[in-house]
């Protein structure tokens, strides 16, 4: 393992990231085996490899190997005091973990850098977003902006659900992208939960297009962690990558 995790490059240095481009013969805990027992082989492989990445990231933070079972919406249930996120798509698996004292919530997503199938964009976007995507595609044609929007909305949902504990539809947040800085913002169109004494109004995140993938990430930092973050910038938590 080395310090060049692909998804980690768009996350703060105190978040531990592990990813891989290949499936591995990862061992699951019995409770995890039960969850995945009726799934097809490809689904089992991506599930097991993603858990392997998550446990490797947890190990960097001193956590012992333990099962990561899905919650009511399929979200991984992380150990108490920690937050994280998992993603997988064709040819890529990744997981990120952070102490809850530093990070309130995390959402990551990976997608192939390819256009969405016909009709999908209309189902996952607002008219204002589609207009903006058309302009971005004209100026920056090398990025599949419709797929990037989908990925970013997946990251928004993954960051949202642990805080709100309720569904967030695709049309419940409007996203805008900065094509130069590799950033995006999400403005919630529904009432958000209270976070650190304030109503959550939206998220900011980062994105990248690399190695045939589109990656998006949100890490909502805890305000009480500012001193620790400054220390982390001087002594970054090692980020890891697993590649066969």
């Amino acid at each position: 393992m080395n310090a060049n995790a692909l998804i980690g490059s768009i996350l703060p240095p105190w978040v531990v990231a592990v990813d891989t481009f290949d499936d591995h013969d990862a061992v699951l805990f019995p409770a995890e085996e039960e969850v995945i027992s009726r799934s097809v082989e490809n689904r089992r492989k991506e599930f097991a490899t993603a858990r392997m990445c998550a446990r490797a990231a947890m190990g960097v933070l001193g956590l012992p190997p333990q099962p990561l079972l899905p919650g009511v919406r399929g979200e991984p249930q992380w150990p108490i005091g920690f937050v994280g996120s998992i993603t997988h798509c064709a040819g890529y698996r990744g997981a990120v973990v952070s102490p809850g004292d530093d990070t309130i919530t995390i959402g990551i997503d990976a997608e192939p850098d390819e256009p969405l199938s016909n009709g999908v964009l209309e189902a996952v976007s607002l008219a204002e977003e589609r207009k903006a995507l058309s302009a971005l595609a004209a100026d920056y044609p090398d990025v599949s902006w419709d797929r990037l929007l989908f990925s970013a909305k997946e990251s928004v949902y993954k960051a949202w659900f642990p805080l709100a504990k309720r569904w967030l539809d695709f049309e419940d947040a409007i996203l805008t992208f900065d094509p130069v800085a590799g950033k995006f913002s999400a403005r919630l169109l529904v009432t958000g939960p209270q976070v650190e004494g304030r109503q959550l109004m939206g998220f900011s995140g980062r994105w990248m297009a690399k190695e045939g993938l589109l990656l998006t990430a949100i890490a909502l930092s805890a305000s009480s962690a500012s001193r620790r973050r400054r220390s982390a910038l001087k002594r970054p938590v090692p980020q890891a990558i697993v590649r066969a």
Side-chain angles (χ1 to χ4, degrees):
M1 290 190 288
N2 59 53
N4 295 312
L6 194 61
I7 191 69
S9 64
I10 55 172
L11 282 161
W14 56 91
V15 175
V16 180
V18 174
D19 61 6
T20 177
F21 286 91
D22 301 286
D23 281 323
H24 297 257
D25 188 19
V27 177
L28 294 173
F29 283 83
E32 294 171 328
E33 287 281 7
E34 185 176 352
V35 167
I36 206 69
S37 61
R38 298 183 180 180
S39 299
V40 299
E41 183 62 18
N42 285 345
R43 169 60 181 149
R44 187 191 183 284
K45 286 182 178 179
E46 69 181 19
F47 180 94
T49 301
R51 260 61 186 177
M52 179 200 71
C53 290
R55 280 190 269 276
M58 290 161 57
V60 174
L61 296 174
L63 289 167
Q66 55 195 283
L68 286 174
L69 300 177
V72 293
R73 291 288 185 180
E75 77 285 359
Q77 298 182 85
W78 301 95
I80 294 174
F82 293 83
V83 298
S85 187
I86 287 175
T87 187
H88 43 73
C89 69
Y92 184 81
R93 324 284 186 225
V96 298
V97 186
S98 174
D101 287 344
D102 293 323
T103 309
I104 297 170
T105 190
I106 302 177
I108 65 169
D109 189 70
E111 300 287 335
D113 191 356
E114 302 170 355
L116 292 171
S117 301
N118 290 338
V120 175
L121 179 61
E122 289 72 20
V124 303
S125 64
L126 300 167
E128 184 176 342
E129 292 172 324
R130 293 193 292 274
K131 181 178 179 180
L133 293 185
S134 294
L136 286 168
D139 293 335
Y140 303 91
D142 293 336
V143 176
S144 299
W145 291 99
D146 55 348
R147 180 81 69 166
L148 183 63
L149 176 71
F150 177 83
S151 177
K153 290 204 171 188
E154 288 290 300
S155 287
V156 168
Y157 177 76
K158 291 178 182 180
W160 156 275
F161 188 79
L163 303 176
K165 300 298 184 184
R166 65 180 190 270
W167 188 255
L168 187 75
D169 285 327
F170 286 110
E171 66 268 22
D172 289 338
I174 185 166
L175 273 63
T176 56
F177 292 91
D178 184 330
V180 177
K183 297 179 179 180
F184 68 90
S185 62
R187 177 168 56 88
L188 294 173
L189 303 179
V190 295
T191 302
Q194 292 289 313
V195 177
E196 293 193 327
R198 296 183 179 182
Q199 182 183 336
L200 182 67
M201 305 296 290
F203 296 98
S204 60
R206 297 181 63 194
W207 68 271
M208 69 181 300
K210 192 172 183 178
E211 299 190 32
L213 295 168
L214 297 171
L215 301 171
T216 57
I218 293 169
L220 182 58
S221 302
S223 61
S224 61
S226 59
R227 184 168 60 184
R228 283 189 295 275
R229 291 202 302 272
R230 287 196 293 271
S231 297
L233 288 171
K234 296 178 182 177
R235 295 177 288 101
V237 172
Q239 294 177 334
I241 186 168
V242 180
R243 295 186 183 179

